[in-house]
Amino acid sequence: MKTRFDTLELSAEATEGKKNSALEEMPEGLLHFYLNQCKVGAHLSQQHEASLMEYRDQLSAFDQTIQEYQDMLDGNKALPEQMKLEHISKLLDATRAAREQFMQQGAAELNRVSDNNPTQEGYMGKAYSKAAEWAGNGSNDTHWQIDTSSDDIYGEIDRALSSAHSITSTFQKGASNILAELKRRDCVEEGEEIHFEDQETATSGAVQRESLFQSIYNGIWNTFKQSVDNGAE
C-alpha cells in the first residue's frame, strides 16, 4: 500500500508540475490574452446555461397549466367564476399549441446557440483547449443539442445543461489558473482580478441578459390571444 501511495503521489506531483510549467513558460502578453478569452467564454457559457434553465422552467409552467385545465375538465378542480367547460377546453387546446410552438422554436434557438458556443475553433476553441489542459478537465464533446422528438424532453435539457456547465467550469478554472500565474509574477492588470463562485448559475444573479426567447414569447402570445378570441365568438 505504501508503494502504491508513493507512486500516486509522485504521479500527481509530476502532473501538477507539467501544468504549472506550461503556464510559467508562457509569455506575459499571451497570459493576459488567454485570461480575457477564458473570462469571456465563461460568461457566454453562463448565458447559455441560463437560457437552458429558462427553457426548462417555461416548459414546466406550460405543463402545470395544462394539468390544471385538464383537472377542471375531469371535474377534479373547480371552474373559475363565470367560466364554462367549453371555455376551459378552448384554453387547454390553445395552451397545448403554445407549448408545442415554444418547445420547437425554443429548441431551435438553443441548438443555434450551441452550434456557435465559445469552444468552437476559430472562436475561443484554442483558449478552451488550453483551459482544459491547465484545469485537468473539460469535455471533448461540447456540442450539446436539444432533440424535441425525444420522449423525455426534460432529460434532453438536463444533458445539455450538464455539458454547458462543464464548459463554464473549464473556462473558469482556466481563468483562475492564469490569474494565479499572473499574481505570481506580480503583473495583474487593473480589472483582471475576478473570483468565480463555484455554484449553479440558476441561483445566482450573475448573468444579466435579454431573454433568448423574447420574440418567440411575443409570437406565442399573439397566436394564443387570437385562438382564444376566435373560440369565444
Side-chain angles (χ1 to χ4, degrees):
M1 286 297 291
K2 184 179 187 305
T3 302
R4 289 183 61 191
F5 281 128
D6 288 344
T7 303
L8 288 170
E9 189 175 77
L10 287 172
S11 298
E13 287 177 358
T15 303
E16 188 61 32
K18 187 176 179 181
K19 290 180 198 172
N20 291 340
S21 177
L23 283 170
E24 289 171 4
E25 294 171 2
M26 187 169 290
E28 181 184 329
L30 206 51
L31 285 174
H32 291 299
F33 171 76
Y34 278 132
L35 175 59
N36 181 66
Q37 290 270 293
C38 285
K39 285 161 64 177
V40 172
H43 176 70
L44 290 174
S45 187
Q46 280 184 314
Q47 290 184 320
H48 298 168
E49 285 188 73
S51 293
L52 282 163
M53 285 181 279
E54 181 184 347
Y55 180 70
R56 180 187 62 193
D57 291 345
Q58 185 59 64
L59 280 178
S60 180
F62 274 127
D63 288 339
Q64 183 177 349
T65 301
I66 288 170
Q67 186 59 56
E68 288 176 356
Y69 288 149
Q70 189 62 58
D71 287 342
M72 292 176 193
L73 292 177
D74 293 341
N76 298 324
K77 188 171 183 178
L79 296 177
E81 290 185 10
Q82 300 181 340
M83 292 195 74
K84 299 179 180 179
L85 285 176
E86 54 263 34
H87 296 148
I88 300 301
S89 181
K90 289 290 183 183
L91 284 171
L92 177 58
D93 290 342
T95 304
R96 281 175 172 161
R99 181 194 187 277
E100 179 65 19
Q101 182 180 346
F102 177 76
M103 183 176 70
Q104 298 296 339
Q105 294 181 358
E109 279 298 295
L110 288 167
N111 291 342
R112 177 186 62 80
V113 162
S114 178
D115 286 337
N116 298 283
N117 78 58
T119 68
Q120 302 304 305
E121 289 300 326
Y123 193 10
M124 295 175 194
K126 184 75 175 289
Y128 179 79
S129 297
K130 290 289 186 182
E133 177 187 338
W134 300 326
N137 69 352
S139 172
N140 292 325
D141 184 13
T142 58
H143 185 231
W144 50 264
Q145 293 280 283
I146 302 292
D147 180 7
T148 56
S149 67
S150 170
D151 293 334
D152 182 10
I153 188 63
Y154 292 107
E156 287 288 301
I157 299 169
D158 287 342
R159 281 188 288 274
L161 264 172
S162 178
S163 180
H165 186 67
S166 176
I167 294 170
T168 302
S169 177
T170 298
F171 272 124
Q172 289 179 345
K173 288 177 181 177
S176 296
N177 287 343
I178 296 170
L179 189 60
E181 174 60 21
L182 289 171
K183 283 182 178 180
R184 188 187 69 81
R185 300 187 192 187
D186 195 25
C187 57
V188 178
E189 296 179 355
E190 185 177 354
E192 281 190 325
E193 189 161 357
I194 182 170
H195 300 284
F196 294 110
E197 295 180 353
D198 186 20
Q199 61 181 20
E200 293 292 336
T201 309
T203 57
S204 74
V207 180
Q208 300 296 325
R209 83 204 195 291
E210 180 181 350
S211 174
L212 182 68
F213 312 114
Q214 192 55 55
S215 62
I216 298 176
Y217 290 142
N218 294 339
I220 287 176
W221 170 246
N222 291 333
T223 302
F224 184 88
K225 189 173 181 298
Q226 183 178 6
S227 176
V228 173
D229 288 345
N230 291 340
E233 292 177 358

